[in-house]
Amino acid sequence: MAAASCFGDYGVEVSSDHSASLGRKAAAMNQNSVSCLYRTKLAGQCRIVTVTWSKNVIGQGLNVGVDDGKFGCKVELRPWLFWKKHGSKGFELGNRQVEVFWDLSSAKYSPGGGPEPVASFLVAIVCEEEIVLQLGDQHHPGKGLSSSREAWKRLRAAKPASIKASLLSRREHLYGKKFFATKASFCEGGELHEVIIDGKPSLKEPRLCIRIDRKVVVQVKRLAWKFRGNQTIVIDGQQVEVFWDVHNWLFSGGGNAPANSAVFMFQMCSSSGEEIKQPWLSQQQQQQQQQRDSSTGFSLFLYACRND
């Protein structure tokens, strides 16, 4: 249940559990969404922070959740309501005060109109006068936040965290008919690569092709017999295990993915050689496994939903 609501002012809702059904809602509303999981030290403990950007016909949204969404804040950007694209909101976590700052007043998005801003924005989490997570332009002047002197003063007074947050995984919901495209970096500070999934499940002999920067890295024929599988590829000199599950493209649906949705995972291979995760687990199970295993490398999950 919501602990507080002030949509008339900031368009923000502080929620005790707002992201448990994100995947189901995204599919139901034909919503493009991007969720990033970070590991950081927050309120004296190592915790998982989920930042989700979403976009649908109603508007855009930003969710910041801690510990599987039990704590955090939700920002709804709806054009017909009075809302501000900048602000701050606090909540209590482990008897410690956590503040979330955001400034989307000058945010720039990719030409494709994705839900996640690519420049001129700021999202920061501050706890005990430390910036435990900061996204966006590191030197963004905060045009919106500067109008709230108290909020901007608190943010500027905070110092960088002693332990840098690490990106564990990225989840995207993509919609299309045959082609699904996105861009991703497979290691921190690494090169941004174009990822294209070309699925032809409606052919007499269904096929699947995955390209990285227009180069074919995975090609699956006789897809009806190989609707689940994996293959090792190399990106930036690092081994990456690619998993696919296109059962719902070919058959009646079911499982953890919505109908007409296929699941793809790109998993950086662990240096310890430990077993790699299965992409057809639920999002909550994926997050729990990431939290338990600190040696697991970065994972990219793509949920490709066909608009037939």
Side-chain angles (χ1 to χ4, degrees):
M1 296 294 293
S5 179
C6 49
F7 285 109
D9 185 8
Y10 292 104
V12 179
E13 179 182 0
V14 179
S15 172
S16 59
D17 186 7
H18 62 260
S19 63
S21 60
L22 175 63
R24 294 189 297 272
K25 289 181 179 179
M29 299 178 67
N30 200 32
Q31 170 177 279
N32 287 323
S33 65
V34 175
S35 295
C36 294
L37 272 66
Y38 299 87
R39 179 187 288 112
T40 187
K41 186 176 181 181
L42 180 59
Q45 295 184 22
C46 182
R47 301 178 187 270
I48 301 296
V49 175
T50 305
V51 179
T52 300
W53 304 90
S54 59
K55 182 179 181 181
N56 54 39
V57 294
I58 298 176
Q60 292 178 278
L62 165 64
N63 288 268
V64 178
V66 181
D67 292 347
D68 199 22
K70 294 178 181 178
F71 307 91
C73 71
K74 179 179 180 181
V75 182
E76 296 284 355
L77 308 181
R78 300 182 180 182
W80 61 85
L81 295 178
F82 176 73
W83 48 264
K84 297 180 180 179
K85 294 184 178 181
H86 56 84
S88 64
K89 198 67 183 181
F91 59 91
E92 194 172 282
L93 179 63
N95 296 323
R96 304 183 189 185
Q97 188 68 18
V98 179
E99 287 187 284
V100 179
F101 297 85
W102 68 91
D103 185 356
L104 308 176
S105 55
S106 302
K108 297 179 181 178
Y109 298 84
S110 62
E116 182 182 28
V118 296
S120 302
F121 75 99
L122 176 68
V123 175
I125 302 176
V126 176
C127 181
E128 297 182 309
E129 300 182 352
E130 282 191 351
I131 302 177
V132 297
L133 178 65
Q134 181 169 326
L135 307 176
D137 306 78
Q138 297 296 317
H139 303 289
H140 182 52
K143 183 184 297 185
L145 284 176
S146 62
S147 63
S148 175
R149 294 183 179 180
E150 183 180 354
W152 186 236
K153 184 178 180 180
R154 291 199 307 270
L155 180 58
R156 296 198 64 176
K159 59 184 179 180
S162 55
I163 300 177
K164 187 177 180 181
S166 58
L167 178 61
L168 297 180
S169 69
R170 177 181 175 91
R171 299 193 298 257
E172 296 189 41
H173 286 81
L174 306 173
Y175 287 82
K177 292 186 177 180
K178 295 182 179 180
F179 296 95
F180 305 86
T182 187
K183 291 185 178 181
S185 175
F186 292 87
C187 60
E188 189 170 357
E191 182 181 352
L192 197 63
H193 296 279
E194 184 180 44
V195 181
I196 297 178
I197 297 171
D198 181 0
K200 298 181 175 65
S202 58
L203 295 179
K204 186 176 181 180
E205 294 185 2
R207 290 176 292 174
L208 172 68
C209 181
I210 300 177
R211 298 182 178 88
I212 303 292
D213 297 331
R214 299 187 179 183
K215 179 181 178 181
V216 176
V217 294
V218 174
Q219 191 166 17
V220 184
K221 298 179 180 180
R222 301 182 65 188
L223 193 61
W225 296 96
K226 301 177 182 179
F227 55 85
R228 290 192 183 112
N230 64 287
Q231 181 176 324
T232 302
I233 64 175
V234 177
I235 301 178
D236 295 335
Q238 299 290 323
Q239 286 191 339
V240 178
E241 195 76 6
V242 181
F243 292 85
W244 64 88
D245 180 358
V246 299
H247 177 276
N248 291 358
W249 275 2
L250 300 168
F251 307 108
S252 59
N256 293 309
N260 294 329
S261 174
V263 185
F264 299 86
M265 182 179 79
F266 299 78
Q267 167 77 65
M268 297 295 291
C269 293
S270 172
S271 58
S272 63
E274 297 181 3
E275 184 179 356
I276 297 176
K277 308 305 184 272
Q278 302 292 336
W280 34 85
L281 297 177
S282 69
Q283 292 185 4
Q284 184 176 2
Q285 288 172 319
Q286 293 163 12
Q287 179 171 329
Q288 289 172 346
Q289 286 193 332
Q290 289 278 20
Q291 191 170 9
R292 286 196 300 265
D293 184 7
S294 60
S295 66
T296 301
F298 170 77
S299 302
L300 172 66
F301 294 89
L302 300 179
Y303 297 83
C305 305
R306 293 178 59 203
N307 285 334
D308 292 332

